[in-house]
Amino acid sequence: MSDTDHTSEFEPAAPNPDRERTQVFGEAEEFDLRPGADSCYKCSSCDTSCPVAEVDDDFPGPKFQGPEQWRLTQTDEDYEVDESVTSCSNCMRCDDACPSGVPLSQMHNTTRGRYVDEQMSKLSVEYWRNRILANYRTSAFFASKVPRLATAAMNFGPARWVMEKTLGVTSERDFPEFATETFTDWWRARGGAQVQSADKRVAYFHGCYAEYNTPEVAKALVRLFEHFGYQVAVPEQGCSGTPMFANGMLDDARRDAKTNVSSLSALVDEGYDAVCSCTSCSMSLRQEYPELFDFEGTADVAAHTYEAVEYLRIHEDLSGAVADADVDGDLAEEFAYHAPCHARNQGLDRQAVELFRELDGVDVEDVGDSCSGISGTYGWKEEKYDYSMEIGEEMFEHMEHAEGETGMTECPTCAMQMEHGTGYEIRHPLELLEAALVE
């Protein structure tokens, strides 16, 4: 008898709509990450892209920290989060590498937050070291009251040795200099916005570093946007939350995010878009806020947030303006440009090189796609310092082989690492744009 002559007696059972379904993952009030976990097919692209896994043999990689550990937290009430989740630097390169769109960094952030909340001792030195680093804005606020004294004290050799021995903050790095005038002090002294417009409005989220350490970057943004006819607002704001996410301090991040969403969403309702000079800040507002928080207005803020140069490239003929300009003086140089990991995640890794290609008097050379290694607070931890420098070694080598001896990047902590590893002065693309376009 042939197969075609055989008649099967199998009859599939009809679906039973009344059957009680088995809940593999319990009901949760948090964002449901099961679809993302189920999308992982273990290709390990995330692990091979992870700069920490490449240098730290004890770190199991993003695949374990993401979908695998997340599943364990959902199916086993007694499961304790593996401590290695605190070694993730939150560079988010795994998000960019995953071909299936698994929300790896969201899983890392929620799992790390659970570890800190439920397992890390609140009396431990590590907890308080991490919390101090994560809340840099608080430290910088007080330092800004006596900026010269604070800069000298933080870089005094014996004080740095004590901080390393007692808190675990590496003594190998120089602390950044605090500005003698904060950006918002300058903003108020100049009388706020100098341009009024009914239809070209941006709300500037300047973040912590441009406020307290590099106000020249913030000033460049304001002058550049006003040059193009924009009314600039500087709303009430806290930290973007990036260092808090990286250290599992989700309650602290929630506190500042609530302030940021409230002030920015009110301006979005008035026709403003939000712009950031720091790519980690724009990444936080765009991606991490909607992943972790459900405040009213969060989605609107995310949808109206841009990195500053990106915004001008979209809404103005920035390339044409740059092609017609030239630069002389201090900024007529050759630059070694590093694209921050968080710029890559937003598809912005080539924009500075492409934009300045036609600018007379300037040459910008891309120094490769490696991570700088500092990843915000990661490289400031004594036990992570050597790893951060090993990760950054490729970038340092490329910078030293580049024609220029001035670095360029949008990320303030990448700038710290670039300067630390090469001794080069580091500038922001906004400073170069201001020099080229604003009289």
Side-chain angles (χ1 to χ4, degrees):
M1 181 182 293
S2 70
D3 291 340
T4 56
D5 293 333
H6 178 71
T7 302
S8 171
E9 296 180 358
F10 173 72
E11 295 182 4
N16 178 5
D18 298 322
R19 176 175 60 85
E20 183 177 350
R21 299 184 182 276
T22 301
Q23 291 294 325
V24 178
F25 298 101
E27 295 292 334
E29 295 180 0
E30 301 173 348
F31 294 94
D32 183 11
L33 294 175
R34 180 180 176 179
D38 289 348
S39 295
C40 175
Y41 56 86
K42 301 183 184 296
C43 69
S44 297
S45 292
C46 57
D47 287 345
T48 58
S49 72
C50 176
V52 176
E54 187 174 349
V55 300
D56 184 354
D57 292 337
D58 294 327
F59 183 65
K63 184 173 64 177
F64 172 76
Q65 303 298 353
E68 293 179 6
Q69 187 150 231
W70 183 83
R71 289 189 189 101
L72 291 170
T73 64
Q74 302 301 304
T75 57
D76 184 352
E77 292 182 359
D78 298 324
Y79 176 76
E80 290 194 346
V81 174
D82 191 87
E83 184 182 10
S84 62
V85 73
T86 62
S87 291
C88 166
S89 69
N90 202 39
C91 70
M92 302 171 74
R93 291 173 76 95
C94 52
D95 282 351
D96 198 39
C98 179
S100 300
V102 176
L104 288 151
S105 63
Q106 183 180 8
M107 292 174 173
H108 299 162
N109 282 333
T110 54
T111 306
R112 186 164 45 242
R114 174 173 171 173
Y115 174 81
V116 170
D117 285 345
E118 300 178 5
Q119 295 172 228
M120 180 179 276
S121 170
K122 305 307 180 290
L123 300 177
S124 67
V125 171
E126 182 182 9
Y127 174 82
W128 284 105
R129 186 271 310 272
N130 291 356
R131 194 163 189 196
I132 290 169
L133 289 174
N135 285 272
Y136 173 74
R137 188 181 188 88
T138 301
S139 304
F141 170 80
F142 288 109
S144 70
K145 304 306 177 185
V146 283
R148 292 187 178 90
L149 177 61
T151 300
M154 296 294 282
N155 286 291
F156 182 51
R160 290 165 60 183
W161 181 87
V162 169
M163 281 190 286
E164 179 171 288
K165 298 305 178 184
T166 59
L167 287 175
V169 177
T170 181
S171 62
E172 296 293 330
R173 297 186 184 278
D174 293 330
F175 278 87
E177 182 178 351
F178 293 101
T180 55
E181 180 184 48
T182 67
F183 165 64
T184 50
D185 284 345
W186 173 84
W187 174 257
R188 286 189 290 267
R190 83 192 292 254
Q194 302 297 299
V195 173
Q196 304 296 317
S197 175
D199 56 356
K200 297 178 72 172
R201 297 179 169 187
V202 292
Y204 178 29
F205 188 89
H206 49 74
C208 310
Y209 206 75
E211 166 72 350
Y212 296 111
N213 300 96
T214 55
E216 63 274 10
V217 172
K219 295 174 188 178
L221 181 145
V222 170
R223 293 173 180 137
L224 183 64
F225 273 80
E226 289 183 343
H227 170 77
F228 281 102
Y230 286 87
Q231 179 175 331
V232 180
V234 179
E236 178 187 3
Q237 57 192 267
C239 177
S240 70
T242 299
M244 300 165 186
F245 298 143
N247 287 281
M249 307 293 173
L250 296 189
D251 288 342
D252 290 348
R254 182 181 301 276
R255 174 200 66 215
D256 281 5
K258 191 171 185 178
T259 297
N260 298 336
V261 169
S262 175
S263 60
L264 288 171
S265 62
L267 288 169
V268 167
D269 289 343
E270 295 177 20
Y272 286 79
D273 291 318
V275 295
C276 306
S277 51
C278 169
T279 47
S280 293
C281 290
S282 58
M283 172 61 80
S284 184
L285 298 178
R286 276 173 150 172
Q287 177 174 322
E288 290 172 301
Y289 278 20
E291 290 178 345
L292 298 169
F293 307 125
D294 57 359
F295 309 124
E296 183 179 354
T298 301
D300 285 342
V301 170
H304 288 83
T305 295
Y306 301 83
E307 189 273 335
V309 177
E310 172 197 27
Y311 189 87
L312 290 176
R313 293 186 80 194
I314 292 171
H315 293 91
E316 306 293 336
D317 182 17
L318 188 59
S319 295
V322 167
D324 292 338
D326 59 70
V327 173
D328 54 23
D330 292 342
L331 285 177
E333 300 186 46
E334 295 177 329
F335 293 89
Y337 172 74
H338 167 74
C341 295
H342 291 171
R344 296 181 185 282
N345 280 75
Q346 298 170 82
L348 305 176
D349 49 303
R350 291 288 300 170
Q351 75 169 3
V353 175
E354 293 170 356
L355 180 62
F356 294 126
R357 185 177 293 150
E358 303 301 324
L359 180 58
D360 286 344
V362 168
D363 181 51
V364 177
E365 182 177 345
D366 192 338
V367 294
D369 63 358
S370 62
C371 176
S372 75
I374 193 170
S375 293
T377 63
Y378 177 87
W380 281 93
K381 299 172 182 177
E382 186 272 335
E383 73 276 14
K384 305 299 183 188
Y385 172 78
D386 288 341
Y387 291 139
S388 77
M389 295 302 289
E390 188 174 350
I391 293 169
E393 187 174 340
E394 181 179 342
M395 180 190 71
F396 302 147
E397 290 179 357
H398 287 169
M399 287 183 68
E400 288 169 359
H401 287 113
E403 292 295 326
E405 294 187 0
T406 301
M408 177 181 287
T409 190
E410 297 91 342
C411 172
T413 56
C414 287
M416 290 182 201
Q417 180 82 329
M418 295 166 76
E419 182 179 3
H420 181 63
T422 64
Y424 291 179
E425 181 185 11
I426 312 299
R427 307 303 289 261
H428 193 289
L430 287 169
E431 296 179 271
L432 184 53
L433 282 171
E434 181 195 21
L437 301 178
V438 181
E439 295 180 359

